[in-house]
Amino acid sequence: MQARCLGRLKKEAEDIRNNFDGVLELDIKDESQMCWHVRFRGAEGSVYNGEVFTLQFKFSEDYPIESPEVIFVGIPPEHEHVYSNGYICLSTLYSDWTPALKVSAVTMSILSMLSSAVVKQKPANDAQAVVWMKNKSPKKVNWMFEDDKC
Amino acid sequence: MQSQHSNNYEDDQDDYGWPDEEDKEQVSYHHQFDNDEKRQLEKVQKLVELLGCSQDQGIAIMRFFKWNMDKLQNEWFSNERRLGIKMGIEFDNDLSKKFPLTMQSLAHNNQGYCMICYGQFSQKNKQDNMSCGHQFCQEDWRSYLSQKVNEGFQAVQSKCPQHLCNMVVPHSYFVKYLQKEDMKTYMKWFCKAYTDDNKNVRWCPYSGCDYCVEYQDYGESDVSCKCGNSFCFKCGSESHRPCDCKQTETWKNKNSAESENITWIMANTKQCPECRKPIEKNQGCNHMTCKMCSYEFCWLCQGKWSEHGQKTGGYYNCNKYEELKSKGDVKISKDETSRQAAKNELDRYMFYFERFNNHDKAEKHARSLRPVIKAKIQLLHEIKKYPPSELDFLDEAINEVIKCRQVLKYTYVYGYYLKNQKELNLFQFLQEDLEKNCDYLHELIEKPLDPYLDTNIVDRSTFYHFKGQLINYYQVTRKVRLSS
């Protein structure tokens, strides 16, 4: 087990508890601390106002050099970049990941992605995509990042 | 063509006692994969002296301009700062205004902490920073760069680990932090980047060859690689003189594509008048029964079979066709003309293709002979004590045969597309000359060399006679090849 990964996760947990109190709710699922659930509320004034969503973070030993696997669990938001299996099409999670990013920053950028949506809408190819994403980690999917707004 | 790599081709650079003649062949700068690094850095060094920048910056600038010095000189000086940001050697201060949270978090909230491991910097692990100011522990740098390198060749373009930072990781960081295998991989990408970016450098297309050739414009696009093969620098495929790249491509497509099958179908089949399925008639009578729809018809006139009989001159002798033709039935004669034209075209194509293919096979055969000749040279040297310099002619000759076969192969492509009859005549004359000489040389070099290995025979004159003959043909062939 990489000391870096554990040390960082410990500090990140502190960071969320201290600096994001009332915004992000952290639930460390796995005892070895490699699986986290982060709950947050849809922003006021956005189409998701009041809805509660849960993101699941799975970390590998090489975190944060290697990106975490991030998906929505429970009921995912209806959003153009979120598939109904909870997979998220966001370049920051895959090709644009950098080790200087952290759980809170990722969650906040997903929250901001949701907040900028005008209508609730599923991705155009949702049903089809969910079928061929089956049993495939979101990190192994070839995402096409077409736009950064929606 | 793995075998040539093990020989000391590069050491034998003195000419083999062959008369020097005006060589139209490309004498290009060949360099080995391993040398890329040096070559790259030499070029960078010149830039460093010119601009007074660091080596790291020099590498980034050269890469950005794809090693094109002209472009660099035109654009760099007028736009230094903007380009510096674009190529990642100067920090974009606008970024910290645009993304204050991510960019300044370090300076404000995390001062003294590494943004990767969140550990506090100590004297031991503190890292000298790039001009963007983002700091990371040495161990984290190592892990970060190691991951990038193992992800693929894009590693050379890695950015600062800070999210959204525009700075490119300098070459010296890779050199400083990477170890053993990772370093090897990085150097592979480093060299690959040079070859891939630089329009004047190409990988040798022959399988198993790891050399690159750097092109210097002598007007000729044929370059020869250190591995002994030559290729066209323009299109990157095997040498195709006297054809140009476009012709060669058209020919290749013609050979592989379905288009020739269509020509064949046109020449040898007719459509069933009822269901339009193409039907092939190999031999036999004109009474056709379509397998698809059981329609019976006459091959010649494509009329209904039941209408045939006495009035058409007998069931099996249809003069209806001749009749219609003589009357000038437009439809039938038109069909027939296009069919005939297709058949002629197919015959013509087959003629050229057969010869093209023949030389292609001969070339492959000659290539397989190369290691055999090498072994023979070794034996002649060991058993009969001929000095190596006196035996090199064998190697030269087999290489000449390969080159000739290659040229001859493409003369048939050239001939196929040559429409001017006068030119064609002259061309065919030259072709014949080369073919004749090449065949003879090929035959000579294929002769068993064993008689010359017999230790009981002291007289060396037969061997020297053979050598003289071979050299003679080698020279003639070479001359013909280069003049055509």
Side-chain angles (χ1 to χ4, degrees):
Chain A
M1 189 71 59
Q2 285 257 10
R4 171 173 52 216
C5 167
L6 292 181
R8 216 187 108 135
L9 287 177
K10 196 167 157 252
K11 287 201 172 120
E12 279 203 56
E14 283 168 23
D15 167 58
I16 293 173
R17 284 177 181 138
N18 297 337
N19 302 327
F20 294 89
D21 191 33
V23 184
L24 306 179
E25 187 192 321
L26 176 64
D27 176 9
I28 296 172
K29 283 310 254 190
D30 201 87
E31 283 203 9
S32 55
Q33 300 197 349
M34 301 299 265
C35 178
W36 288 11
H37 279 185
V38 178
R39 259 182 293 280
F40 63 91
R41 212 168 264 281
E44 262 178 56
S46 77
V47 287
Y48 306 100
N49 187 12
E51 291 178 54
V52 176
F53 303 111
T54 308
L55 281 172
Q56 173 180 281
F57 286 76
K58 275 190 175 169
F59 308 98
S60 76
E61 279 180 31
D62 289 324
Y63 179 79
I65 300 294
E66 202 187 298
S67 63
E69 184 191 291
V70 186
I71 57 167
F72 275 106
V73 289
I75 300 164
E78 217 175 286
H79 185 276
E80 220 183 324
H81 292 169
V82 181
Y83 290 85
S84 40
N85 58 359
Y87 286 25
I88 307 156
C89 178
L90 182 70
S91 63
T92 312
L93 298 179
Y94 314 106
S95 54
D96 288 348
W97 168 261
T98 71
L101 279 166
K102 50 184 177 176
V103 173
S104 59
V106 167
T107 312
M108 292 317 277
S109 67
I110 290 173
L111 179 58
S112 114
M113 177 183 95
L114 295 182
S115 303
S116 59
V118 190
V119 281
K120 286 187 180 181
Q121 195 183 1
K122 280 186 184 174
N125 58 341
D126 186 50
Q128 191 194 0
V130 167
V131 174
W132 56 251
M133 282 193 261
K134 209 175 173 191
N135 301 326
K136 210 173 179 184
S137 157
K139 291 173 70 179
K140 297 273 184 269
V141 173
N142 285 322
W143 297 100
M144 300 275 288
F145 308 109
E146 282 153 359
D147 58 82
D148 9 73
K149 50 165 203 305
C150 70
Chain B
M1 301 295 123
Q2 201 75 54
S3 58
Q4 310 80 303
H5 283 191
S6 52
N7 73 39
N8 353 326
Y9 217 90
E10 49 193 311
D11 300 333
D12 304 345
Q13 280 190 345
D14 48 333
D15 56 3
Y16 310 132
W18 300 89
D20 265 332
E21 50 180 302
E22 266 295 292
D23 199 342
K24 246 170 81 182
E25 272 175 297
Q26 179 69 46
V27 191
S28 35
Y29 190 94
H30 318 298
H31 56 102
Q32 219 175 327
F33 193 78
D34 298 349
N35 292 346
D36 270 43
E37 180 198 347
K38 266 191 227 146
R39 231 185 126 56
Q40 255 190 87
L41 295 179
E42 270 166 28
K43 289 195 172 180
V44 168
Q45 191 51 38
K46 280 186 198 149
L47 186 73
V48 165
E49 282 158 21
L50 182 76
L51 300 181
C53 60
S54 71
Q55 189 190 51
D56 287 334
Q57 289 170 330
I59 292 170
I61 297 171
M62 279 303 234
R63 272 198 197 133
F64 184 81
F65 288 108
K66 302 205 180 299
W67 304 87
N68 182 338
M69 275 309 265
D70 293 339
K71 210 177 158 206
L72 189 152
Q73 283 176 343
N74 283 338
E75 292 177 27
W76 173 252
F77 294 102
S78 52
N79 252 322
E80 204 173 315
R81 213 191 105 73
R82 192 180 56 82
L83 286 174
I85 290 173
K86 217 168 155 189
M87 54 183 77
I89 55 172
E90 192 164 327
F91 181 60
D92 186 359
N93 281 316
D94 290 350
L95 280 175
S96 37
K97 283 176 211 148
K98 256 194 256 172
F99 308 102
L101 212 80
T102 36
M103 281 319 190
Q104 292 180 352
S105 57
L106 187 87
H108 297 285
N109 310 329
N110 292 71
Q111 195 127 57
Y113 286 90
C114 166
M115 280 299 281
I116 292 179
C117 67
Y118 288 9
Q120 194 161 14
F121 289 125
S122 65
Q123 242 4 63
K124 217 174 99 196
N125 68 359
K126 193 154 183 172
Q127 161 55 33
D128 50 338
N129 44 309
M130 297 195 287
S131 66
C132 56
H134 302 127
Q135 286 180 311
F136 309 96
C137 294
Q138 303 192 356
E139 203 40 55
D140 294 330
W141 265 115
R142 184 169 296 127
S143 309
Y144 177 67
L145 296 181
S146 161
Q147 195 216 21
K148 287 285 174 193
V149 156
N150 289 308
E151 267 175 13
F153 64 90
Q154 296 92 337
V156 295
Q157 296 290 355
S158 296
K159 295 267 170 69
C160 163
Q162 183 65 34
H163 185 51
L164 297 173
C165 181
N166 72 314
M167 293 292 285
V168 158
V169 180
H171 172 68
S172 60
Y173 277 43
F174 284 98
V175 175
K176 183 173 170 187
Y177 290 116
L178 290 178
Q179 291 165 324
K180 293 179 199 131
E181 283 308 308
D182 286 344
M183 187 58 199
K184 254 192 215 160
T185 316
Y186 172 68
M187 285 322 292
K188 200 166 96 189
W189 301 145
F190 183 78
C191 296
K192 181 178 156 57
Y194 175 70
T195 315
D196 289 352
D197 287 350
N198 193 332
K199 282 205 175 93
N200 285 323
V201 179
R202 250 190 204 277
W203 297 107
C204 172
Y206 283 85
S207 64
C209 178
D210 279 341
Y211 292 119
C212 304
V213 173
E214 180 153 358
Y215 184 61
Q216 261 129 39
D217 194 5
Y218 296 132
E220 277 275 322
S221 58
D222 257 13
V223 292
S224 36
C225 177
K226 215 169 176 177
C227 72
N229 292 307
S230 59
F231 64 95
C232 170
F233 196 87
K234 269 189 207 148
C235 66
S237 54
E238 63 170 0
S239 278
H240 50 67
R241 273 195 306 159
C243 295
D244 59 33
C245 304
K246 211 178 150 207
Q247 244 171 16
T248 311
E249 208 198 323
T250 321
W251 174 258
K252 276 185 189 158
N253 289 340
K254 195 176 173 63
N255 289 347
S256 60
E258 289 286 306
S259 67
E260 284 316 314
N261 290 339
I262 292 162
T263 322
W264 186 88
I265 287 167
M266 277 183 68
N268 295 287
T269 68
K270 288 184 183 180
Q271 288 175 329
C272 164
E274 191 66 19
C275 69
R276 316 306 294 171
K277 273 269 171 323
I279 292 171
E280 182 195 353
K281 177 190 199 306
N282 3 17
Q283 291 264 299
C285 78
N286 293 325
H287 180 189
M288 306 301 294
T289 308
C290 175
K291 277 207 172 136
M292 301 303 291
C293 68
S294 307
Y295 181 76
E296 291 176 63
F297 66 100
C298 166
W299 177 258
L300 288 178
C301 70
Q302 291 187 63
K304 226 174 167 174
W305 188 251
S306 55
E307 285 171 9
H308 281 62
Q310 288 305 322
K311 57 178 180 180
T312 62
Y315 275 107
Y316 298 98
N317 182 20
C318 179
N319 62 1
K320 212 171 155 192
Y321 167 70
E322 282 301 324
E323 213 176 278
L324 284 168
K325 216 169 161 186
S326 58
K327 274 186 195 160
D329 184 301
V330 184
K331 193 184 168 293
I332 282 197
S333 61
K334 212 172 160 188
D335 272 8
E336 200 54 36
T337 320
S338 70
R339 206 167 359 249
Q340 197 54 45
K343 191 153 173 21
N344 288 346
E345 168 54 29
L346 185 65
D347 282 348
R348 202 174 95 85
Y349 169 69
M350 288 304 286
F351 175 88
Y352 284 97
F353 180 74
E354 215 181 313
R355 279 150 188 81
F356 171 85
N357 203 25
N358 188 33
H359 282 300
D360 187 51
K361 279 188 187 141
E363 182 199 327
K364 291 206 174 86
H365 193 250
R367 283 184 192 281
S368 67
L369 202 63
R370 197 140 59 171
V372 180
I373 299 275
K374 289 249 182 285
K376 281 283 172 343
I377 292 176
Q378 194 62 27
L379 285 177
L380 279 166
H381 173 59
E382 277 167 15
I383 297 174
K384 300 288 282 186
K385 309 285 179 229
Y386 289 108
S389 62
E390 275 193 30
L391 296 167
D392 285 333
F393 73 98
L394 289 165
D395 194 37
E396 276 291 288
I398 187 69
N399 283 337
E400 180 60 25
V401 170
I402 293 170
K403 281 180 185 167
C404 277
R405 291 294 179 197
Q406 222 172 13
V407 170
L408 279 166
K409 198 161 90 174
Y410 283 99
T411 57
Y412 283 99
V413 181
Y414 188 79
Y416 177 76
Y417 290 112
L418 195 62
K419 299 291 180 203
N420 182 330
Q421 191 58 42
K422 234 176 163 177
E423 252 179 76
L424 189 64
N425 288 345
L426 176 68
F427 176 73
Q428 278 171 346
F429 174 77
L430 290 170
Q431 188 183 41
E432 194 189 321
D433 206 17
L434 181 60
E435 204 159 41
K436 212 167 58 193
N437 284 303
C438 174
D439 274 344
Y440 197 77
L441 184 66
H442 205 159
E443 200 185 321
L444 271 182
I445 191 87
E446 273 183 330
K447 274 191 183 164
L449 293 164
D450 301 325
Y452 308 119
L453 281 169
D454 193 337
T455 41
N456 296 324
I457 301 169
V458 196
D459 181 21
R460 292 185 167 201
S461 62
T462 49
F463 178 72
Y464 284 118
H465 176 71
F466 166 74
K467 178 177 173 176
Q469 218 180 355
L470 201 75
I471 289 182
N472 189 21
Y473 266 94
Y474 165 78
Q475 283 170 356
V476 171
T477 317
R478 186 178 162 84
K479 220 170 185 169
V480 176
R481 175 168 68 88
L482 294 176
S483 66
S484 55

